[in-house]
Amino acid sequence: MSDEELAKDLGLLSALTIGIGTMIGAGIFVLPGTAVERAGPFAILTFVIGGVIAIFTALSASELGTAMPKSGGAYFYVNRALGPLFGSVTGWANWFGLAFASAFYMYGMGEYINTFAGLGTLAVGPVTFQPAQIIGFFGALFFIGVNYMGAKETGGLQIIIVGLLVGILSVFSVVGLLNADPGAVTQTSGTFGEILPVTAIVFVSYLGFVQITSVAEEIKDPGRNLPIAVIGSVVIVTVIYALFLLVLLAAVPNELVSGNDTAVVDASELLFGQYEILGFSLASFGYVMLLIGGLLATASSANASILSSSRINFAMGREKIVTPALNEIHPRFSTPYRSIALTGALILLFLLAGNLELLATAGSVLHLIVYGLLNLALIVMREAEPAGYEPDFEVPLYPIVPIIGAVFSFALIVYIEPAVIIFCIGFVAFAALWYFFYARQRVETSGVLSSWVLERPEEMPDFAVSAAEVAAPDAAGSYDVMVPVANPRTEDELIALGATLAKQNDGTVHAVHIVSVPDQTSLESVSDKLDSIDPETDTLMQGAREMAAEYDVDLETHTVVSHRPFDEIFDSARRLSADSVVMGWSERSPWTSGRTSGALESLTTTLPCDFLVFKDRGLDFSRVLLPTAGGPDSDLSAEAAKALRDVHGSEVSILHIVDEATDRAKGMSFIGDWADDHGLGDAELLVEATDDVEGAIERAAAEHSLLLMGATREGLLSRLFSDSLVFDVVDDVDCSVLLSERPGKRSLRERLFGGSTEKRSAIESEEAAEDQPAEADD
């Protein structure tokens, strides 16, 4: 499985056009006819109410987006705040809602093309398909293919398309205003009671703004640009919709609009037909202009929705709500092809099975569920105040805004057709069952709400505690091994070690290739040029896959572009929630030589997980030596030794060194108990009485193929810039060496200059009791 990191290459204008381009689609080019037919002059109000409801949710989405700029948008926020049960509902609803919306957009595009093509219905057995469905089907195939194969510079193309759309609508509005009769608006027949039901239908026109947050991980300066893009896109589109509907109703006969799916094209032909240039009527110009506008709008919306759906799948796979295999990156096109193909199949199915109103209402109601939960997620994050929740933008008038956003979103669902409501209730039930029967056993993290409730059971009602316990993830927690890979010559050894640990713990290997670029080079400028900058990337990843396949363990590959490759190892370990990191030793690495201040800072704070550093002198697992005097780092070496024994059949020897004044029998008793406690009771036990610890290890290592060494009690500065037992042994022995260090509670001073009061007192107590030192290993 491949999990490419997302470069921050979207500016404010690109982010705005994602929202505007998704919203200005079939909603305004197809739905005015339906809205006018049912609501008459109140059709304008239906679009305004939809925009107002969207703005409340846009404010909540902006705060959550600046606090957690992650791929997945609304799904990620709900999953993080309300937990994976609601995350499952949100993810599925957002995904299928986008598929319904995309099918609606392509159906609308089919209506526009058919006004020119004039095709008839197509009967396949007992089923009859409308011309718009047939045209939309092939149009959908085209855009699915474009997304599957990947298109360069789509962001720039989107800006051009949105600019053309706004221009076309502006020209139409100006001509319409010149011919407007305000009194004609009130003469339209319609019912006040239809306002909210029609609002529920046309709400599909406002699905684009939250999709901006689904690419928040790629937006430059998200603290500033994300709120402007999300809120600004809603405001801009609401104003455009209201003015456009006002002009449409005031400038053309109502019967031309009511119930007409291509009303804007016919209206444009009529309006422009009143003008001539050089004796030629502009009717055809107006007709073609709005026809092109409709095609651009529906195509832009469909394309943006397919793109956003793949981001949601990316986030759901990352959290294991669905299989991470959906995120597999195509080796040639570099796109999440499985996700796009599955989404495309859903779009085609919905397109052939539904009609315009059904597709619009299904897309609307599923997104209203998402928006309601998103507002509740904001309330939870504000009230629980989890660590790290520090938004750059805060919702004004809290909690009024998210409460109104949630109430309005859920309330609008009531006005949807009963059949669609029943379908969506069934869909929510499916998402909940999916969580309990599939995802609950795989998801590893619970939401903020569940943790907040379970931390104060005495203060919470019994039903709330019981619900939190029932909904909590049931996964034991997967074991994740991160392996930074950089050199094809040494990659196999590192992946083999990582795969050994993963196989022992039924875990996953994450092969991370960090591509280093100079500070003068912007990261976004190289995101699509990795092949030329680092031609070994594909070779490394393919080699990692082949090695992981030999061990029959799961592998995920990640490519990260960074200015700070060493620090990125620690950042990636934290981001992946790795249990251990297996990395290679290099004479040029910061482990063994002078280093930058950033790298020093990384190692002088608490390690994010277990670290194992491999000094390669040939990979041979046959005979393993483990010197120990007790301590957490030798515990980690013991776990590695046990994995090597169980996976490779390695013969393990445990060496314990006592000084010449200590009874060897006491040393043998200690090492025997230690081996039993660590599952190594079958290991060969070696005790040597000497004051030359380094020499004893070197002599024993001469008979072994791999030396496992834990970190010393000395601080990092002592180990890096002065003589160190560990470093001397690494240099002097002939076999390969695997160094291990386990995270410990040390202050900055203790990590820099050595020692830990808690550790030292415990070791000294043991030494006093057993009259033996603990020199070789902490």
Side-chain angles (χ1 to χ4, degrees):
M1 204 281 289
S2 184
D3 178 15
E4 304 294 326
E5 302 299 327
L6 305 178
K8 291 184 180 295
D9 56 3
L10 294 178
L12 174 59
L13 186 58
S14 294
L16 264 173
T17 55
I18 288 175
I20 296 173
T22 306
M23 286 187 277
I24 299 182
I28 192 62
F29 280 89
V30 176
L31 290 178
T34 301
V36 171
E37 181 181 31
R38 295 183 56 176
F42 303 112
I44 301 170
L45 192 57
T46 65
F47 280 91
V48 173
I49 292 174
V52 171
I53 294 174
I55 285 174
F56 282 105
T57 302
L59 288 165
S60 295
S62 296
E63 176 172 329
L64 292 167
T66 60
M68 300 175 285
K70 292 290 185 180
S71 182
Y75 158 74
F76 179 84
Y77 311 142
V78 173
N79 189 70
R80 174 82 173 88
L82 303 182
L85 171 58
F86 290 100
S88 178
V89 172
T90 302
W92 282 102
N94 210 352
W95 182 12
F96 272 58
L98 284 170
F100 274 113
S102 297
F104 166 72
Y105 300 144
M106 298 314 300
Y107 201 123
M109 186 184 76
E111 291 280 14
Y112 272 77
I113 293 179
N114 195 50
T115 62
F116 176 77
L119 300 179
T121 58
L122 174 66
V124 180
V127 182
T128 299
F129 296 104
Q130 297 299 315
Q133 289 175 295
I134 301 168
I135 298 169
F137 182 88
F138 289 102
L141 279 178
F142 171 77
F143 286 107
I144 293 164
V146 167
N147 278 270
Y148 186 95
M149 293 184 290
K152 300 295 184 183
E153 307 301 335
T154 53
L157 179 61
Q158 188 78 348
I159 292 174
I160 295 172
I161 290 175
V162 171
L164 287 172
L165 284 175
V166 173
I168 288 171
L169 293 177
S170 298
V171 171
F172 174 87
S173 298
V174 169
V175 175
L177 284 172
L178 295 175
N179 295 272
D181 175 12
V185 176
T186 59
Q187 296 173 11
T188 309
S189 61
T191 312
F192 183 82
E194 288 289 316
I195 290 178
L196 291 179
V198 173
T199 300
I201 295 174
V202 303
F203 195 77
V204 72
S205 306
Y206 289 97
L207 303 188
F209 68 94
V210 173
Q211 305 320 322
I212 299 172
T213 66
S214 71
V215 293
E217 215 169 341
E218 303 168 62
I219 294 177
K220 302 173 184 177
D221 191 10
R224 170 186 176 274
N225 290 337
L226 185 64
I228 296 175
V230 173
I231 300 169
S233 65
V234 176
V235 172
I236 291 170
V237 167
T238 302
V239 172
I240 290 174
Y241 285 172
L243 290 176
F244 187 81
L245 262 293
L246 179 62
V247 170
L248 188 65
L249 292 178
V252 299
N254 297 328
E255 59 270 17
L256 184 65
V257 179
S258 182
N260 186 352
D261 293 334
T262 58
V264 294
V265 173
D266 296 334
S268 181
E269 184 179 24
L270 177 64
L271 289 173
F272 281 83
Q274 302 175 74
Y275 301 95
E276 293 183 355
I277 293 181
L278 301 176
F280 292 97
S281 171
L282 295 181
S284 297
F285 171 78
Y287 178 89
V288 172
M289 182 181 71
L290 266 295
L291 179 62
I292 292 174
L295 294 176
L296 285 175
T298 51
S300 172
S301 295
N303 191 51
S305 295
I306 295 170
L307 170 65
S308 297
S309 68
S310 68
R311 303 299 185 188
I312 294 165
N313 297 154
F314 179 94
M316 292 174 72
R318 181 164 58 185
E319 302 295 330
K320 300 181 181 177
I321 295 290
V322 297
T323 172
L326 274 179
N327 293 335
E328 180 73 41
I329 300 298
H330 196 285
R332 178 182 175 188
F333 302 127
S334 299
T335 58
Y337 66 102
R338 290 178 178 172
S339 170
I340 293 171
L342 182 55
T343 302
L346 292 173
I347 292 170
L348 296 175
L349 174 64
F350 298 157
L351 181 62
L352 295 178
N355 55 50
L356 271 176
E357 187 167 327
L358 173 64
L359 296 173
T361 52
S364 291
V365 73
L366 290 174
H367 277 85
L368 286 167
I369 293 170
V370 172
Y371 294 170
L373 291 175
L374 185 147
N375 284 284
L376 295 180
L378 173 65
I379 295 173
V380 168
M381 298 302 282
R382 279 287 194 100
E383 297 303 315
E385 297 181 339
Y389 184 76
E390 299 175 356
D392 294 321
F393 169 85
E394 293 189 353
V395 167
L397 301 177
Y398 174 86
I400 296 174
V401 167
I403 289 175
I404 292 177
V407 170
F408 279 12
S409 296
F410 290 132
L412 199 58
I413 297 174
V414 176
Y415 297 96
I416 301 287
E417 290 293 329
V420 178
I421 293 177
I422 292 171
F423 163 77
C424 292
I425 291 173
F427 184 86
V428 171
F430 158 77
L433 291 173
W434 177 273
Y435 170 72
F436 282 110
F437 288 99
Y438 174 84
R440 188 167 180 250
Q441 290 73 40
R442 294 167 174 80
V443 173
E444 300 163 25
T445 56
S446 57
V448 170
L449 177 61
S450 177
S451 301
W452 188 77
V453 169
L454 294 177
E455 286 171 0
R456 42 185 60 80
E458 299 83 6
E459 306 171 24
M460 296 289 109
D462 290 342
F463 76 87
V465 177
S466 298
E469 290 174 343
V470 169
D474 195 32
S478 67
Y479 188 87
D480 295 291
V481 183
M482 186 184 114
V483 183
V485 292
N487 189 334
R489 294 187 299 275
T490 59
E491 174 194 26
D492 286 354
E493 288 81 356
L494 296 178
I495 296 294
L497 285 167
T500 298
L501 296 176
K503 191 172 185 67
Q504 175 76 358
N505 296 279
D506 192 24
T508 300
V509 176
H510 298 263
V512 178
H513 180 42
I514 302 171
V515 179
S516 176
V517 296
D519 290 339
Q520 295 87 345
T521 304
S522 66
L523 298 182
E524 57 267 23
S525 69
V526 300
S527 59
D528 59 349
K529 303 181 180 69
L530 291 182
D531 290 343
S532 60
I533 293 174
D534 195 327
E536 292 185 335
T537 297
D538 291 341
T539 302
L540 284 167
M541 294 313 183
Q542 184 58 36
R545 294 186 188 97
E546 293 172 357
M547 180 59 68
E550 291 183 17
Y551 283 81
D552 192 25
V553 297
D554 293 333
L555 175 80
E556 297 183 12
T557 60
H558 312 256
T559 300
V560 185
V561 181
S562 176
H563 292 135
R564 304 169 298 112
F566 185 75
D567 296 82
E568 183 58 40
I569 293 174
F570 296 86
D571 293 342
S572 293
R574 294 185 182 95
R575 185 168 57 251
L576 294 170
S577 299
D579 295 282
S580 61
V581 171
V582 178
M583 61 186 294
W585 174 290
S586 170
E587 298 300 337
R588 297 171 297 172
S589 75
W591 290 90
T592 55
S593 62
R595 55 201 295 155
T596 65
S597 59
L600 178 61
E601 182 181 359
S602 295
L603 276 182
T604 53
T605 55
T606 302
L607 294 177
C609 60
D610 295 338
F611 265 71
L612 297 105
V613 185
F614 182 61
K615 176 72 169 181
D616 182 22
R617 293 190 179 93
L619 191 62
D620 184 352
F621 296 138
S622 59
R623 288 184 52 78
V624 176
L625 176 66
L626 195 169
T628 183
D633 296 320
S634 61
D635 290 348
L636 176 56
S637 294
E639 292 173 14
K642 190 164 70 168
L644 291 169
R645 179 199 64 189
D646 294 345
V647 175
H648 298 282
S650 305
E651 296 179 10
V652 179
S653 301
I654 302 175
L655 173 65
H656 184 54
I657 303 168
V658 298
D659 60 34
E660 295 179 349
T662 302
D663 191 333
R664 293 173 60 90
K666 289 184 179 180
M668 185 62 73
S669 175
F670 166 80
I671 195 175
D673 292 340
W674 188 90
D676 290 337
D677 291 342
H678 291 79
L680 294 170
D682 58 344
E684 179 185 10
L685 305 181
L686 306 174
V687 175
E688 184 167 345
T690 179
D691 292 325
D692 182 10
V693 176
E694 180 180 342
I697 295 175
E698 290 177 10
R699 287 190 293 274
E703 304 296 326
H704 293 79
S705 59
L706 177 63
L707 173 64
L708 304 183
M709 289 281 288
T712 68
R713 269 186 300 177
E714 297 168 324
L716 286 169
L717 289 183
S718 300
R719 281 185 278 165
L720 294 176
F721 297 115
S722 64
D723 291 339
S724 165
L725 169 64
V726 170
F727 280 15
D728 288 344
V729 169
V730 169
D731 288 336
D732 294 342
V733 298
D734 294 327
C735 64
S736 295
V737 181
L738 185 64
L739 296 177
S740 63
E741 182 164 4
R742 173 151 279 170
K745 294 181 179 179
R746 293 183 186 178
S747 67
L748 176 61
R749 181 188 62 80
E750 289 165 344
R751 278 199 168 271
L752 285 173
F753 302 108
S756 168
T757 303
E758 180 181 348
K759 275 189 176 183
R760 183 167 292 170
S761 61
I763 293 172
E764 289 174 350
S765 298
E766 180 184 330
E767 290 173 353
E770 305 217 14
D771 191 27
Q772 54 193 21
E775 298 294 338
D777 176 25
D778 191 26

